[in-house]
Amino acid sequence: MISLDDIQDAKRRINGHIRRTPLAVSPSLSEICGASVSLKLENQQTTGSFKLRGATNAILSLNAAARKTGVAAASTGNHGRALAHAARAVGSRATICMSKLVPGNKVFEVHRLGADVRIIGSSQDDAQKEVERLAEEERFTILPPFDNPQIVAGQATIGIEILDDMPDVNTVLVPLSGGGLAAGVAAAIKSKHPHCKVIGVSMRCGAAMKASLDAGRPVEVEEFPSLADSLGGGIGLDNQFTFAMCRDLLDDIVLLSEAEIAAGILHAYQKEREIVEGAGAVGIAALLSEKIIRPAGPLVVVLSGRNIDMNLHRRVVNGEMDPFGGDK
């Protein structure tokens, strides 16, 4: 378990390296839900997603020798972008392994930030195997996208900021993939406000953490193209941290169809004037689809990122609700 001291240490460490993002009231969602709803705008983070928090904390926790040798990670895009940014800021180098399912706009941004990019296989698990090979050959330090205490503690700083801005928060909706964000936010929130509900939200097809929790152990899942591409990938069969934390700390998990995720993207754009990727829109989508029964306010929805291909975004806001055919 990640302690409150770990989270506070991370908050001090990354201060000045990341943005403290706003918590903004949503009049439209508040009216729909009949309760106060606010949006934690991590889509406005420097690299376009919350991932910069964990990546920065992890990089700054390394000693000088490890930074000089370099770091490596598998990524569905946003962690790679964050790690490339954080590594470059301290004069280190990053090697990012991604599968063929990662959208081209995310691959381009990781390249642009100076990382060495490897496209490997058709799953996050394939990319992770390449990371492990490179770490053994090149002596890179592996900084995984979620199952790492410094990564989790960095993401958990979002929870501290939520509590600072809204001490009486009653429900938090957080995107759920490998669990770094959900576990971190839940650890922070419940350390100070144990009765607050923290609900993980994911896509219906390929929800690895939900499948693993249902099985009582980490399991592999098939990956599919999805509007919520950042939520794809497994949690690792040797998961050390996030599986147990999500099992013990999350109050519920909600799964969404592709059309429901598209509706979340559309609402964010039309009503909130925010561009969010599918993974960032799942909290809004859960409220719109009434998957959260009688949500108790004050309620916070974490908008985790904005790094959607803008051509895909245009298709969604123009009414294409299932671009990848995932609901068939």
Side-chain angles (χ1 to χ4, degrees):
M1 193 67 72
I2 307 303
S3 72
L4 182 59
D5 286 343
D6 295 327
I7 300 168
Q8 295 288 10
D9 286 345
K11 185 173 183 291
R12 287 188 289 269
R13 192 175 290 120
I14 68 178
N15 183 41
H17 297 273
I18 59 103
R19 289 179 181 168
R20 191 190 192 286
T21 55
L23 186 66
V25 174
S26 168
S28 63
L29 290 172
S30 298
E31 182 177 354
I32 289 169
C33 296
S36 173
V37 179
S38 296
L39 306 175
K40 181 61 172 169
L41 300 176
E42 279 298 298
N43 59 313
Q44 296 183 11
Q45 191 53 258
T46 303
T47 57
S49 87
F50 73 95
K51 292 284 191 177
L52 185 61
R53 294 172 181 266
T56 300
N57 188 47
I59 285 283
L60 294 178
S61 298
L62 296 177
N63 60 35
R67 291 185 197 178
K68 182 177 180 180
T69 302
V71 298
S75 175
T76 54
N78 286 336
H79 176 62
R81 184 171 180 173
L83 198 59
H85 177 96
R88 187 169 70 171
V90 299
S92 187
R93 61 177 180 140
T95 298
I96 308 300
C97 299
M98 296 180 279
S99 83
K100 297 174 184 177
L101 292 180
V102 175
N105 67 300
K106 293 185 175 181
V107 176
F108 173 82
E109 286 297 325
V110 177
H111 267 299
R112 185 183 66 81
L113 288 166
D116 179 16
V117 174
R118 311 286 179 93
I119 304 300
I120 304 293
S122 300
S123 72
Q124 184 84 331
D125 291 331
D126 291 339
Q128 181 60 34
K129 290 175 184 175
E130 178 67 4
V131 169
E132 291 165 3
R133 185 188 70 80
L134 288 170
E136 184 174 349
E137 290 185 0
E138 305 288 342
R139 297 295 185 262
F140 295 146
T141 298
I142 298 177
L143 292 180
F146 50 86
D147 196 36
N148 173 283
Q150 283 75 40
I151 296 289
V152 175
Q155 321 305 26
T157 60
I158 294 172
I160 297 296
E161 291 179 12
I162 290 172
L163 287 172
D164 287 345
D165 291 343
M166 188 179 289
D168 60 341
V169 62
N170 214 353
T171 307
V172 178
L173 304 186
V174 57
L176 175 63
S177 179
L181 175 62
V185 169
I189 295 286
K190 289 180 179 289
S191 68
K192 292 189 172 184
H193 193 353
H195 298 298
C196 178
K197 287 189 176 181
V198 181
I199 299 173
V201 190
S202 193
M203 72 287 198
R204 188 168 62 195
C205 295
M209 184 60 78
K210 179 64 164 65
S212 296
L213 293 173
D214 287 346
R217 58 181 174 81
V219 297
E220 292 182 350
V221 297
E222 185 177 357
E223 293 183 41
F224 301 92
S226 171
L227 280 170
D229 56 89
S230 294
L231 302 185
I235 70 167
L237 296 181
D238 59 347
N239 187 289
Q240 300 294 305
F241 299 97
T242 60
F243 172 79
M245 292 181 72
C246 287
R247 179 194 63 206
D248 295 344
L249 296 173
L250 293 182
D251 294 280
D252 197 7
I253 295 174
V254 170
L255 302 182
L256 301 169
S257 70
E258 293 297 299
E260 289 166 341
I261 296 168
I265 295 172
L266 180 61
H267 178 96
Y269 183 70
Q270 289 186 333
K271 302 297 184 181
E272 314 297 341
R273 300 297 189 263
E274 296 289 341
I275 293 175
V276 294
E277 58 188 281
V282 293
I284 292 176
L287 294 178
L288 296 177
S289 64
E290 299 183 342
K291 294 289 179 71
I292 310 297
I293 306 301
R294 294 184 296 276
L299 186 148
V300 171
V301 178
V302 178
L303 304 191
S304 57
R306 68 168 183 261
N307 296 325
I308 187 171
D309 177 87
M310 290 310 295
N311 288 323
L312 176 60
H313 188 269
R314 188 178 302 112
R315 289 163 59 189
V316 171
V317 299
N318 284 329
E320 191 172 348
M321 304 302 284
D322 186 14
F324 300 110
D327 287 342
K328 294 179 181 177

